[in-house]
Amino acid sequence: MPDLAGADADLDEINAFLRRGFGSTLGLEYTEITGDRVHARWTAGPNQHQPSGIVHGGVYCSVIEAMASIGGAAWLGDRGHVVGVNNNTDFLRATREGVLDAEARPVHRGRTQQVWQVDISDDRGRLIAQGKVRLANIADTANIGK
């Protein structure tokens, strides 16, 4: 994994890395990654719709989880990895398409866990969704997923 927030962090390299797997489906373009703030944008459209033609709530949950995890990982650095243990997302306004912005900021950062808030807004600055993610800080990363 590339350095997410160090002096040598390269946003092009980070974006290429994060677009692998499920990240390619979301299409996020990260414009800032630090341990104090993460900003990204993406273009929502029909490939992210639910049957009634609006962006699926799961897209917002996924973006919020991704943003919080990237920020948490940038803050934790080489001390370990983070894993999401709770995601609470509120859907505030429906949207069909357009450029959406997401901004993540820490609410709490401790020894064993972190909480991040993520706001998603449309191109007119209207709040579309807001979520909080609790992350566990994992030092023993060899056993994650086993």
Side-chain angles (χ1 to χ4, degrees):
M1 172 139 80
D3 180 14
L4 293 178
D8 298 326
D10 176 333
L11 277 176
D12 290 334
E13 177 186 346
I14 292 168
N15 274 299
F17 178 80
L18 295 174
R19 278 194 213 101
R20 299 182 335 196
F22 187 62
S24 68
T25 300
L26 294 177
L28 291 171
E29 178 72 28
Y30 291 88
T31 60
E32 179 181 348
I33 298 173
T34 72
D36 295 318
R37 181 179 186 267
V38 178
H39 178 267
R41 64 178 32 126
W42 82 99
T43 302
N47 65 327
Q48 297 177 340
H49 285 178
Q50 47 114 302
S52 65
I54 60 175
V55 175
H56 193 288
V59 173
Y60 300 125
C61 291
S62 297
V63 167
I64 287 167
E65 179 98 13
M67 299 284 292
S69 295
I70 294 302
W75 179 76
L76 193 60
D78 61 5
R79 293 175 285 166
H81 292 280
V82 298
V83 294
V85 294
N86 186 48
N87 181 331
N88 185 319
T89 299
D90 292 307
F91 313 115
L92 305 170
R93 177 185 294 274
T95 190
R96 295 182 183 276
E97 58 188 21
V99 176
L100 299 177
D101 282 285
E103 179 183 33
R105 293 198 179 269
V107 174
H108 167 77
R109 294 180 292 199
R111 183 180 53 80
T112 60
Q113 67 180 353
Q114 302 178 51
V115 176
W116 284 69
Q117 179 172 311
V118 182
D119 294 334
I120 297 174
S121 301
D122 66 11
D123 57 1
R124 297 193 319 195
R126 299 178 301 179
L127 193 59
I128 301 296
Q130 183 179 71
K132 284 189 179 168
V133 175
R134 185 166 49 92
L135 303 165
N137 299 330
I138 307 294
D140 181 14
T141 60
N143 290 316
I144 292 177
K146 292 188 177 183

